[in-house]
C-alpha cells in the first residue's frame, strides 16, 4: 500500500499521458461517427437516470452518437431528459407480456438490436437495467450477440448482477470490462473464486478474477488498429476513462462540496481548459485596481 501511495502523482501523470495518447484530434477530414458510436443497454420503469447519465456522458466526452436501448416505459422519460440521445424502446418486462408471447418478443428484440450492432464501437450494459427475469434474459442474448460481433462491452450496475449469475457471458472474452463497486466486487470474488475477499491477497484475487470504459475503449481500439499504441487497448481505455472521471469529480467537488451530484460531475467532463482559463483570468484581475468588483464579476460570467 505504501508503494502505491508514494507513486500516486506519478501514476496520475501516467494516466493523463495515456488519456492524451488516445484522444482523437478534431480534423476537418473526419465525419460524424468516427469519434465513437456508443450504445447503452439499460433503463426500466424504476430506473431512468442511470442510462441517461451513461449515454450523455459519452457525448460530453466527445463521442459522436449515443444510443439507449431500454424498456418502453422508460423511453419517454429518457427522451425527455435530452434530445441528443437516440432512444430505442424495444425491451420488455415480465409484467407487460404473456408467457406464451415471451419467445416471439425475445426474437424481435434480438432482431432489432442486430440491425444496429455492427455500427457500435462499444456497448455499456447494465445502467438502470433492473432485475426482471425476462428483461435479463433478453439482455443476455444481446451480450452473446455483441460477443459474436467482437464488440467491446462495459458491464456496470445490474449488468454485474447478471454476469455474476451467468459468468459464461464474459468468461474468456478479452473485450469485456467489469466496473464493480466494493460489494459487487465481493460477490464476484465469491462466485468466481469461491472465497471471501482477502485484503492481504487482494492483488492475486483481482488478477485471478481478471483472467476469467466505453468511449475511451473505442478510441483506444482505433489507435491500436493504426499501430499508434503498443499497450492493450482495453487497458488504455480503462485508464483514460478513470483518469477523466477522477478529474471531473474533483472539479465538481471543489465547486459544490458535499452537495455534489452526478449531474455536477458530468458538467465538468471536458472542462479542464475552461477552469484553467477562468483561474488565469481571476489571477490577472487581482493586479488590476481600476476594475470594479461588479465589472469583474460580469466578465468572469462570460468565460
Amino acid at each position: 500500500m505504501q508503494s502505491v501511495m508514494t507513486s500516486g502523482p506519478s501514476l496520475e501523470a501516467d494516466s493523463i499521458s495515456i488519456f492524451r495518447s488516445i484522444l482523437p484530434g478534431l480534423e476537418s477530414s473526419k465525419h460524424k461517427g468516427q469519434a465513437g458510436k456508443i450504445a447503452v443497454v439499460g433503463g426500466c420503469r424504476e430506473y431512468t437516470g442511470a442510462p441517461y447519465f451513461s449515454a450523455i456522458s459519452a457525448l460530453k466526452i466527445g463521442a459522436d452518437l449515443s444510443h439507449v436501448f431500454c424498456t418502453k416505459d422508460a423511453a419517454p422519460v429518457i427522451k425527455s431528459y435530452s434530445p441528443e440521445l437516440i432512444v430505442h424502446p424495444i425491451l420488455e418486462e415480465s409484467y407487460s407480456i404473456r408467457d406464451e408471447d415471451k419467445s416471439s418478443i425475445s426474437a424481435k428484440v434480438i432482431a432489432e438490436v442486430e440491425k444496429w450492432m455492427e455500427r457500435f464501437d462499444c456497448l455499456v450494459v447494465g445502467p438502470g437495467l433492473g432485475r426482471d427475469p425476462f428483461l435479463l434474459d433478453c439482455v443476455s442474448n444481446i451480450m452473446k450477440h455483441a460477443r459474436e460481433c467482437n464488440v467491446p462491452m462495459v458491464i456496470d450496475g445490474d449488468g454485474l448482477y447478471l454476469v455474476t449469475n451467468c459468468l459464461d457471458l464474459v468468461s474468456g472474452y478479452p473485450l469485456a470490462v467489469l466496473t464493480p463497486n466494493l460489494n459487487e466486487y465481493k460477490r464476484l470474488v465469491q462466485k468466481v473464486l469461491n472465497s471471501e475477499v482477502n485484503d492481504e491477497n487482494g492483488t492475486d484475487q483481482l488478477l485471478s478474477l481478471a483472467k476469467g470504459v466505453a468511449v475511451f475503449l473505442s478510441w483506444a481500439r482505433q489507435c491500436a488498429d493504426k499501430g499508434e499504441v503498443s499497450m492493450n487497448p482495453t487497458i488504455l481505455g480503462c485508464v483514460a476513462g478513470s483518469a477523466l472521471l477522477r478529474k471531473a469529480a474533483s472539479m465538481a467537488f471543489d465547486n459544490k462540496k458535499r452537495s455534489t451530484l452526478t449531474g455536477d460531475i458530468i458538467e465538468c467532463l471536458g472542462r479542464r481548459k475552461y477552469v484553467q482559463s477562468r483561474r488565469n483570468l481571476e489571477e490577472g484581475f487581482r493586479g488590476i485596481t481600476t476594475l470594479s468588483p461588479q465589472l469583474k464579476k460580469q466578465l468572469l460570467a462570460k468565460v
Side-chain angles (χ1 to χ4, degrees):
M1 179 62 72
Q2 183 64 28
S3 62
V4 173
M5 293 299 290
T6 55
S7 59
S10 176
L11 287 175
E12 182 176 0
D14 289 343
S15 64
I16 295 299
S17 176
I18 289 174
F19 169 83
R20 290 173 176 168
S21 72
I22 65 173
L23 189 68
L26 296 176
E27 301 168 3
S28 58
S29 60
K30 290 190 173 181
H31 58 76
K32 187 175 182 179
Q34 286 187 308
K37 301 177 291 294
I38 310 301
V40 177
V41 180
C44 60
R45 356 175 233 181
E46 291 91 353
Y47 308 117
T48 58
Y52 161 74
F53 288 141
S54 297
I56 201 68
S57 293
L59 294 180
K60 290 280 189 178
I61 291 169
D64 285 333
L65 296 168
S66 192
H67 297 246
V68 179
F69 290 84
C70 60
T71 66
K72 294 179 180 178
D73 288 336
V77 182
I78 297 173
K79 286 182 178 181
S80 72
Y81 293 151
S82 173
E84 305 285 352
L85 306 179
I86 303 170
V87 182
H88 305 263
I90 65 169
L91 301 179
E92 296 277 7
E93 294 182 81
S94 301
Y95 77 91
S96 62
I97 57 176
R98 298 178 301 179
D99 289 342
E100 57 266 31
D101 294 332
K102 288 184 177 180
S103 179
S104 61
I105 291 175
S106 179
K108 289 180 181 178
V109 169
I110 294 302
E112 181 65 23
V113 173
E114 281 182 351
K115 295 190 299 186
W116 293 91
M117 187 67 74
E118 65 179 13
R119 309 184 191 187
F120 298 137
D121 297 306
C122 188
L123 292 187
V124 181
V125 180
L129 183 60
R131 299 186 178 182
D132 178 79
F134 177 72
L135 180 56
L136 293 180
D137 284 343
C138 288
V139 173
S140 294
N141 291 330
I142 292 173
M143 293 176 67
K144 291 175 184 176
H145 184 61
R147 184 167 177 167
E148 292 173 358
C149 296
N150 209 35
V151 175
M153 292 183 285
V154 177
I155 317 298
D156 185 51
D158 286 318
L160 291 167
Y161 170 82
L162 174 60
V163 165
T164 301
N165 290 285
C166 188
L167 295 173
D168 288 343
L169 291 172
V170 295
S171 179
Y173 187 51
L175 298 180
V177 177
L178 309 186
T179 60
N181 58 29
L182 180 60
N183 289 328
E184 291 164 341
Y185 172 70
K186 288 180 178 179
R187 286 194 289 268
L188 279 168
V189 169
Q190 291 168 353
K191 181 71 173 184
V192 178
L193 304 180
N194 196 28
S195 65
E196 298 297 323
V197 173
N198 187 333
D199 291 337
E200 293 182 0
N201 298 323
T203 301
D204 292 336
Q205 287 183 324
L206 184 60
L207 290 174
S208 298
L209 193 63
K211 291 177 182 177
V213 194
V215 179
F216 295 100
L217 192 53
S218 67
W219 288 347
R221 293 191 81 206
Q222 291 175 17
C223 291
D225 290 341
K226 296 176 184 177
E228 297 174 355
V229 294
S230 57
M231 188 184 296
N232 185 319
T234 304
I235 302 298
L236 285 175
C238 292
V239 172
S242 298
L244 183 66
L245 178 58
R246 287 175 64 88
K247 284 289 184 182
S250 177
M251 290 166 58
F253 185 78
D254 285 345
N255 185 34
K256 296 295 185 73
K257 301 303 180 186
R258 293 187 66 171
S259 67
T260 303
L261 301 176
T262 304
D264 300 320
I265 298 174
I266 291 174
E267 286 302 312
C268 290
L269 292 173
R271 293 181 64 182
R272 187 178 182 187
K273 288 184 178 180
Y274 159 81
V275 172
Q276 190 61 46
S277 64
R278 183 181 178 92
R279 287 175 178 170
N280 290 342
L281 192 57
E282 290 174 340
E283 289 291 332
F285 281 166
R286 290 178 184 176
I288 302 176
T289 58
T290 56
L291 293 178
S292 67
Q294 184 177 3
L295 182 56
K296 290 180 183 179
K297 185 176 181 180
Q298 292 175 348
L299 290 172
L300 285 171
K302 296 180 179 181
V303 178

